[in-house]
Amino acid sequence: MNSKPEISEAEYQVMKSIWSAGVPLNTNEVVEKLETFTSWKPKTIHTLLSRLVKKGALQYKKDGRVFVYTPLVKESDILAKENDNFLNRFYNGALGSMIVSLLEQDKLSGDDILALRKILDEKLSDLPQTEPAVRPCSMERR
């Protein structure tokens, strides 16, 4: 599926339970998984499954008396879309502004900063090497 559907937080919880299984799940299995960490009634879960099918996030096939659900979208695609929405809504699409805000509010631990630095260093090493636009000047006199 090319377009990524907009899903609610509750629908995301349903999708996570299916993604985490790694295999298609029937209605009863989805209900059992969700009942372990939500207080939702089976009818609520059935409604959420139905919405996800209508939105194109899940497909189902009937197997006897139950429906078996298979995801049509990857979790990483949904997360990427949500990250983009968040970034655009609160930071006008400027990732640097978001990181500066997190740093200024002390929301990043030392471990977070080291992990971020490692990611940035890896990304930098993947970039093609080009000549700098401005050469550093030397403090030596000639």
Side-chain angles (χ1 to χ4, degrees):
M1 167 163 227
N2 290 338
S3 68
K4 299 162 199 122
E6 294 279 338
I7 63 173
S8 70
E9 182 61 32
E11 292 165 343
Y12 179 69
Q13 294 301 319
V14 173
M15 291 299 295
K16 273 181 31 176
S17 70
I18 296 171
W19 285 319
S20 69
V23 295
L25 295 178
N26 69 42
T27 308
N28 297 330
E29 292 167 328
V30 175
V31 168
E32 286 173 20
K33 282 181 86 89
L34 288 167
E35 283 181 331
T36 63
F37 63 92
T38 70
S39 59
W40 298 338
K41 303 282 186 228
K43 179 97 170 121
T44 301
I45 297 169
H46 293 179
T47 300
L48 292 168
L49 287 166
S50 177
R51 285 185 195 164
L52 287 163
V53 168
K54 286 180 187 167
K55 290 182 176 186
L58 289 175
Q59 70 179 2
Y60 71 91
K61 66 178 181 174
K62 192 160 169 93
D63 185 16
R65 296 182 66 188
V66 296
F67 294 104
V68 177
Y69 294 92
T70 305
L72 293 175
V73 292
K74 296 177 188 171
E75 184 174 18
S76 59
D77 291 340
I78 295 296
L79 290 175
K81 183 172 186 167
E82 289 302 315
N83 289 341
D84 288 346
N85 290 344
F86 176 82
L87 195 59
N88 288 327
R89 180 174 178 198
F90 294 104
Y91 296 98
N92 294 324
L95 181 60
S97 295
M98 183 183 79
I99 292 171
V100 167
S101 174
L102 293 171
L103 287 167
E104 287 175 348
Q105 296 172 29
D106 292 326
K107 298 290 184 185
L108 297 176
S109 69
D111 288 342
D112 291 335
I113 295 169
L114 288 173
L116 182 57
R117 182 180 196 156
K118 181 180 178 196
I119 292 166
L120 292 172
D121 287 343
E122 288 171 1
K123 290 294 182 183
L124 275 174
S125 69
D126 291 345
L127 292 175
Q129 297 298 315
T130 58
E131 287 290 317
V134 178
R135 296 181 191 259
C137 66
S138 171
M139 297 301 284
E140 296 177 28
R141 293 184 183 237
R142 292 186 187 204

